[in-house]
Amino acid sequence: MATPPSNGPLAGEKYLDIPSQAIKIGQFLTSIAEHDDPAIQYLLFKWNVIDALFLWFIPYLRIPRLTFDQRARCAQILLFSLLNWVLFGNYSSSQSRPDLLILNIQFSTAKLNPQLLPFCLAMPPVGVFIPILLNNTRSLSLVQYSVSPLADRGPRDYVNITSRELGKMQSANLFAGQARLPGSRNEDDDEYDDEDIVEEGAQRQQTTVVGNPSRPLLTLEKTQSIVYIRVTRPGVIRLERVLDSTNSDVHISRRIRSDTTVVECPTARFEDDRLAKVQCAGAARDVHIDVRGTVPYVVENGIVISQGNEKTSYASATSTTKRSITVLGRSSASFWGCGTGTAKTVDLLHGKEGRVTVALNSSDPADGPWVVTLRFDPERRDKQSRKASSGWTKDFTIPQDRKSVNVPVSEPGEYTIVRIKGKTCPGEILSPETCLVVEQPKPSAEIGFKSLHECSSDIGVSASLITLKPEMSGSYTYTFTHISDKNYQKIPLAGTPTTTQHVHPLASASFVRTAKEGREVIINCEGRSVEISMDLRGTPPFNVELQLVGPKGSEIRTYSKLKNLRETVTVPILPDVDQYGGSFEVDLVSVGGANGCKRSLDIPGMNVVVKRIKPTVKFYGAGPEGKRELTTLENETARLPLRLTGDGPWNIAYRWSTHSGNPTSPEVGNAEWVRVTSANENLAVKQEGVYTLLEIHDSHCPGRVIPEASTYNVQWVPKPAGVFDLRAGSVTASGAIKRPPVCEGVEDHIDIELEGRPPFQVSYSYLGQLRGHERLRDQITFSSIQHTTRLQLKTSDPGAHEYHITHVGDAAYPLPPARLRSPPRRLSGTVLEQEVLGRPSAHFKTPGRVSYCLNEPFVPRPGSSDDGTIVLSGEPPFKVNFIIKNAVSSEARTETVEILRMSGKFSSQNIFSAPLDPTL
């Protein structure tokens, strides 16, 4: 067994490296063999002595791998003596000496991350432990690796790990509890001894390595062992150099993949300074999340809504990163006990103060107190009246423990709610938002006196039993034929009493009560007069006197020569009511007929209500800017808030047009009508576009549409979309992107540009045409929180590959289940095509050795032997590079041969000109 040298080789490495020293010893031994004596016995003796001296004194040079103890040297001398006896004894002759000497020396290897496990840094101070698979080596004196930034954006740094540091890393790996591969030390020693690994590997020939569950299990052989290096920063880790305990270089295996990527473990947190903890209901706010890791990201989120003692969860709410947000309900306010009609005004007495009340219809106690802004527009007066004061706009506060505020008023006019705002959130203004304050005049009366007299004319006849008094003038004959009492029925009267009379009854009149009104009220919406119908009785022509009684006085209107028994007369509206609206009463004072007799009447009059404030309709704009816009999901019902004045119910006409301005109903006659019953009704619509109010009618009068608030814009949230980066290749005539071909195993990716509201869900179909295999189909869905995500392309198998983005979902339009999805459309930029080229390979057909004599040309020999035949795979022609090396002289060169077929033989006319036995 070789013992480790204490002070290194006798000849330092600054003069000659260790492998070269071993080769020089071999050259020295072979050079002595060229000067031997032909005598067989002499040769046997000479070589036994030379070999014994040579083998005994070589360990004193302290060359690694050539330092042996005494027992090993004696065994070597005995073995070489036996070999000399075979070569120079009776079983050999001087002509049987070989021309070629072949030395087979086994070398050590190291492989970083043999299972290609993924690593991420959760705690940089602790780091991650990456395994190195060792073969044919006992212990290490140095491990050197490099760290380059991800995406090669920066310089490469080199890190050296000594044997002592390596030993501490094995102990730290055990303490950290990371899932590790067997073969590392179990003792927390300062010195790292790899012999324990070798012995453990020898005892466990079939030890299973527990790695990533998705990776195949790894089995350690007798000559294999594993050590771990600790990495504390993200980057691309590459093993650069490994030295064993003899300071000899260990060959680093770089097959398949030679580096390992260490990334930062994905983390997500809310940015506290970007989103206030108190928000208003209905407000759209972006939640900013600081996400760290490697794209593409997948973030799962959920919502828990707490209302009192109830909690409602939406989606996944098991995340450990939480953010609590208090959502305040929006307040709403309107006038209470007042409106815009004459029946809903506030009466103001002369010289006294009144009040209007603003009440909260809905409110969130946490948002109090509330500030209500009122605007006052004074009543316009004529020149003879006193001059009204100017208008004003003031703020009034509703305390947190109250639901209304009383505003004192001392002047008539119109009071309007301009704004309602809580401590945090703006509120909504409901109808009635305007209150009319009317100053009532002091009472007055005009009293007159006139004499009463009876008309001297026959007005009827009186019998002993009854009185007959016809209402119409004419000649009447009264005949009595039968009589009945309690006991007898229809007893004929003797003599049949009869009388004839010419009657002239007094005139009479009454108002016609129409079924449409249903009450003794006439509504006037516009114009300076109203029409009133009367039923007249008596002998025409008639003369009728009407008294008009208003707030500030009364007047008598006479209508003469009325010839019909039902007449309609035009009654003017009193001036003091006509200007601002109000009500007055029309009474029947007297009526006279053809006989000139005037009769006083005392019957209920008619009440005339004059409306000078027309009903109105407008769209309500929410928010401080009053925007009349709404964004909703496609095909969802949008509710547009209306604000109406007047007496309900209302009939409203509106028109819908597209955003391009082309109306579907260009005329009012083709407009759509809707009937509403609330002054704060919502107009339900389902189309995207612009909605325009055209007309309004309340229960009595036609109204007007407020022009500046007559339109409402409804927009649909755009559906998410995703396309491949058009710069990733050439675009074909069909709209597909042709990605440049890549070689098999070369990593390639492409960016996908996404539009919508993150997080996104992207579903794409994959179609692979593999060489010699059937077509592979797969439907894959992944998530991303960024508008640009990266898709790793499949390059492990050669052939044609096609990727088709079929569906894209986002926060507004999540992906439905696969069975409910619409058939995908082949749009421009949604299809990617790429050809993966298979890598060519080459190997000798037979693994046997080929023997050639010194200075013999290295050309194929005649015959059908497969020696030296190279088997190739790929697309010819091939260019094959060969390294030809003389292991004795360390001379090497590279030759390139072009082969046009799938197999061939390598030939070279001149290998080496040195007259030594080459080891090739």
Side-chain angles (χ1 to χ4, degrees), residues 106-155:
Q106 227 172 10
F107 58 89
S108 304
T109 61
K111 172 65 177 176
L112 180 68
N113 192 12
Q115 285 189 291
L116 304 179
L117 301 176
F119 292 94
C120 72
L121 281 172
M123 297 181 292
V126 177
V128 295
F129 294 87
I130 304 177
I132 300 177
L133 178 63
L134 303 176
N135 189 24
N136 292 321
T137 186
R138 294 185 172 182
S139 59
L140 303 180
S141 61
L142 178 69
V143 174
Q144 183 186 72
Y145 68 90
S146 62
V147 182
S148 60
L150 297 174
D152 291 333
R153 297 177 180 174

Side-chain angles (χ1 to χ4, degrees), residues 79-98:
L79 179 61
F80 270 74
S81 299
L82 181 60
L83 178 61
N84 292 333
W85 181 77
V86 172
L87 293 177
F88 305 108
N90 296 330
Y91 300 97
S92 177
S93 66
S94 61
Q95 304 299 325
S96 61
R97 181 178 148 196

